[in-house]
Structure formats: C-alpha cells, structure tokens
Amino acid sequence: MPRQDLEYPKEAHNTVKRYNHLATIPMIGQMGSFDRPSADLGDVLDLYIHGYISARLTNLTRTPSGLPITVSASTVDGLLLSLTPFSHGYNFRSAVLFGHATVVTDPAEKLYAMELITNKVVPNRWNEARTPPTAGEMAATAVMKVKIDTGSAKVRTGPPKDDKGDLENEEVREKVWVGTVPVYTVLGEPKVAEYNLAEEVPKTLVEWRKEVNQDAKEYAELAAVKNLAPEKKKQDDN
Amino acid sequence: MPRQDLEYPKEAHNTVKRYNHLATIPMIGQMGSFDRPSADLGDVLDLYIHGYISARLTNLTRTPSGLPITVSASTVDGLLLSLTPFSHGYNFRSAVLFGHATVVTDPAEKLYAMELITNKVVPNRWNEARTPPTAGEMAATAVMKVKIDTGSAKVRTGPPKDDKGDLENEEVREKVWVGTVPVYTVLGEPKVAEYNLAEEVPKTLVEWRKEVNQDAKEYAELAAVKNLAPEKKKQDDN
C-alpha cells in the first residue's frame, strides 16, 4: 500500500552489474525453539523470521541443508563526544548470526512462530487480535527458520575516552566539551486508526509502552556514564 | 575499551563452518562528493565510511575496481496494529546500496571525509573539537570510499490496513483496537564526562538536539496517520 520505492540516480560512469537484491531485506525476527518452547537465550535457539519471502527465495532454501544466511541487527545507545574527532564513537549493541534458512512447512510450527513473532512486536497481541488465522492467511504467510551455526555480539558502554596527549593539554580540555549524548528509542502515544471501533487502547499496550520507554531511557543514560561490560582479561582500545 | 564480546552458545548439532565475519560490521557513513563538494542527495555521490578496517579488509579492496560491497540501513517509524496479526507491520525507511569500495589514500580527500563524517554525527563538531589531526591520527585512521553502482530505498507510511473480511466483521472491530504506535529516536540530555573542563555544553549541540528530537517525533506521528508517499501508478498491497 503506501510504500515508496526510490531508486539511486544513475549516470554514465556507474558500472551497473547484476546484484542479488534478495540479499538484503529488512525482516522481523524472533529467537525461539519449537521443540523446547521453554528454552531461553542461554540455550541454542532457532531464529524465526517473517517478511516478504519470494518464490525465488523459497527455491533457494530447497537444498538439503538450507540457504546459507547472515542476519545482523544493531542499535546505537549514545554519541561519544571526545576531545578530538578521532576518538569519537558510539555506544552500541550489535549482533551477527550465521546460519542456514529453510521455509517452515509444518503448520503447528508455523503457527508457533507466528504467535512468537507477533507477541514480540507487542506483548499479548496474538490473543488480543483476531485469531486463529484463516486457511488463506496460513497459506499466504511464509516464515523462515534459521538454524544458527555461529554468531557474535558486541556491546560498547561508558563515557568517551581520549589519548594521553589531549588529556594533558589543559587548553584543549578547557575549550572542548566532552561527554555522551544518550540515544534511545521511544514508543509514542498510540494513534487510533479511522476504522477503529474498539473502546480503548489495550491495557497491555499502555503498560508495556511505559515500561519499555523507561527501560530504554535508563539503559542509555546509564551506559553514557558507566562501563556496563563485565571485567575482561584483554580489552580492546576503543 | 569497555566493549563486550559475546559468542553464541555452541552445541554438538551446530554445523560450524567458515564464514567471512568481515562481511557484516557496523560502520558510520556519510554520502558526499570530494570532487564536487556542493553536490546534494539528488546527485550521484560517493559513500565514505569509517569503522574498524582491518589489514585483511584493506587487502581485499586492492583490486582494480575495488571490493564489491553492500551497505544497508533501516529505521522503524511505527508499529502497525491491525485487526489480525497477519496484517500487522511496521512503518519504516530502508535503503540498500551496492558498490565498490577502496581505501582513501589521498590525504586531502581523507581529511574531507573525516570532517564530513564527524559533522554528520554532531553539526560543527569538527571545528569545536581539537583539530587538525596529528600525523599519527591520520595514519591510524582509515576511511573507505564506496562508488555506488546501484541502490534502492523503501518507505512505508500511514495507518494499518485490513482485509475486507475483517473490516466487515463488526464483532472483531469492536473487540480489537487498531492503530499505530509511532516509534522515534531521542537524543537524551548530554552527560558530561568526568574529565571535562569546558564550561558548558556547546550551543550547536543544544539547539541541534532540540531540533532533531522535534523532527523525529513529528515525522513518526505524521507517518502514523497519513500516507506520505507520492502517488504511484502501481501500488504494492502492504
């Protein structure tokens, strides 16, 4: 519907070649285990993802081990303003997962994944919305399951850091303000749709919004001033 | 420094293979043109990116045309809560660029790119911080330049949308609240670093923060209720 597609302007000097545009598509995902639903993030989980899954992408997953896939996510938690631009940076959290994707065909697992993903967007939404799905919805909705082979995450917290040379320069330190600008995401005041007939915004949504907003602000503000990483033997220099 | 690296838990059934971890690294980037500094986003620009550029990555760019590279960025502007989970979605903006990357070696161009990237993080920060860079900083900092071959962007705005079947079901419509939760990023109150000696937070930062926060909130709230995309001949169905 109201989606806008923009194309990068082209000029003669651009070497246009064939790329696999399927390779980078934003999708919604959630970690879970259909076989062991009570498993948590300390266990080995699968990643269920939902998005526009084309016939071509589906075909690519039809190999014995599935389609090799990389999934990444990152979020910025603060801007680090140091004495010199070369020590500027971000507080952030980022994760990369490498695995093999297949399309979920078992109806029970597909239903499990849909509920998992929906309730990740807004808690309890699956039960509050019109469910169960119709046969048509089940057929029209594709879910991919990624078996994770390996992955890693990075978290940067704490105030900016400067080199000795600048720290010892009083003139520079009196001139340049140093600190962190916390960055966080806010869920705004819900805006009702024109075709809504329900009396009020669900309580779950109201409470969850308040809680999520408070947690996000607190985390970014704490990360701005304090190193939240556990002690490590070896530390990187930035 | 206070960076935390986490590894995904491994179990016997995980098929661990070799992956190119270099392939997905969060970096800061900014579009610009060194040859035509007054060029704007309607023109063909290069993408300058900064981040941890390893010796291996540098070597990979040493081909006549550079290293083929994909750069993507996306942001969520709202949660779309419709009558059924199968019509739920996000308001979002996302972009993918495909190009060829080389490491910038010309000192003047490198300086141009560093200033461009720094002032993108916080306006005027290059001049307010301790510059120019020392020879050591210039040597230790790598900037990659991506010549863009092609790219595309998608923007989704407006309220949620439901199918006829649900819209005609009064019982469902009276039970399920429908609307949009605007989502936006906030730059919080700057937190001064312990080693700061400067008197006050720079005026540019104070004003820019206010402006950016107001714009972000306004955009998400407007996108929540209004289709901001220009008219198109053919429209996607979601």
Side-chain angles (χ1 to χ4, degrees), chain A residues 8-115:
Chain A
Y8 192 78
K10 288 177 181 66
E11 266 190 19
H13 82 261
N14 283 13
T15 320
V16 180
K17 290 181 186 168
R18 282 187 68 83
Y19 288 97
N20 184 356
H21 281 258
L22 291 171
T24 46
I25 299 171
M27 292 193 177
I28 315 178
Q30 174 63 3
M31 303 295 296
S33 171
F34 176 61
D35 300 324
R36 295 162 292 125
S38 63
D40 67 21
L41 284 177
D43 297 312
V44 172
L45 300 176
D46 298 315
L47 171 66
Y48 289 97
I49 48 182
H50 172 59
Y52 175 62
I53 297 172
S54 64
R56 188 172 161 211
L57 189 54
T58 303
N59 282 336
L60 287 171
T61 67
R62 287 207 182 102
T63 62
S65 59
L67 175 73
I69 195 173
T70 301
V71 179
S72 67
S74 57
T75 184
V76 171
D77 298 312
L79 313 180
L80 303 170
L81 307 187
S82 56
L83 293 170
T84 167
F86 302 86
S87 304
H88 277 57
Y90 291 104
N91 280 336
F92 68 92
R93 287 165 286 166
S94 79
V96 185
L97 293 174
F98 301 92
H100 285 81
T102 49
V103 171
V104 176
T105 50
D106 174 15
E109 183 170 9
K110 202 165 156 179
L111 208 57
Y112 160 83
M114 288 167 173
E115 183 169 346

Side-chain angles (χ1 to χ4, degrees), chain B residues 28-237:
Chain B
I28 314 178
Q30 175 64 3
M31 304 295 295
S33 170
F34 177 61
D35 300 323
R36 293 162 293 127
S38 63
D40 66 22
L41 284 176
D43 296 313
V44 172
L45 301 175
D46 298 315
L47 171 66
Y48 289 97
I49 50 183
H50 171 60
Y52 174 63
I53 297 172
S54 64
R56 189 173 160 211
L57 188 55
T58 303
N59 282 337
L60 286 172
T61 67
R62 285 207 183 102
T63 62
S65 59
L67 174 72
I69 195 173
T70 301
V71 179
S72 67
S74 56
T75 184
V76 170
D77 297 312
L79 313 179
L80 303 170
L81 307 187
S82 56
L83 294 170
T84 168
F86 301 86
S87 303
H88 278 56
Y90 291 103
N91 279 336
F92 67 93
R93 284 165 288 167
S94 80
V96 184
L97 293 175
F98 302 91
H100 286 80
T102 50
V103 172
V104 176
T105 50
D106 172 16
E109 183 170 10
K110 201 165 156 179
L111 207 58
Y112 160 82
M114 289 168 172
E115 183 169 346
L116 184 77
I117 294 169
T118 303
N119 287 341
K120 176 64 188 177
V121 180
V122 178
N124 205 35
R125 186 71 190 169
W126 184 266
N127 287 331
E128 286 175 1
R130 194 274 294 149
T131 45
T134 64
E137 286 171 337
M138 282 297 280
T141 308
V143 172
M144 283 208 303
K145 173 189 189 164
V146 183
K147 270 212 171 299
I148 310 297
D149 297 328
T150 181
S152 65
K154 278 187 194 293
V155 180
R156 203 280 178 201
T157 54
K161 200 172 169 260
D162 271 285
D163 289 338
K164 209 161 163 264
D166 285 312
L167 288 174
E168 287 170 352
N169 188 330
E170 291 271 318
E171 199 190 327
V172 163
R173 285 178 61 188
E174 278 166 14
K175 183 192 151 225
V176 185
W177 185 88
V178 284
T180 310
V181 181
V183 176
Y184 50 92
T185 298
V186 167
L187 301 175
E189 196 71 47
K191 303 283 181 190
V192 69
E194 275 181 26
Y195 63 95
N196 176 70
L197 294 182
E199 281 197 19
E200 54 183 16
V201 179
K203 274 203 194 76
T204 332
L205 176 57
V206 173
E207 278 160 28
W208 170 74
R209 216 190 116 226
K210 206 184 294 176
E211 197 179 305
V212 164
N213 285 343
Q214 193 177 321
D215 287 354
K217 185 168 186 254
E218 277 176 12
Y219 177 82
E221 289 183 344
L222 189 61
V225 294
K226 196 170 157 26
N227 172 10
L228 303 174
E231 286 293 323
K232 274 180 65 179
K233 269 164 278 172
K234 196 192 152 217
Q235 288 189 322
D236 302 331
D237 204 14

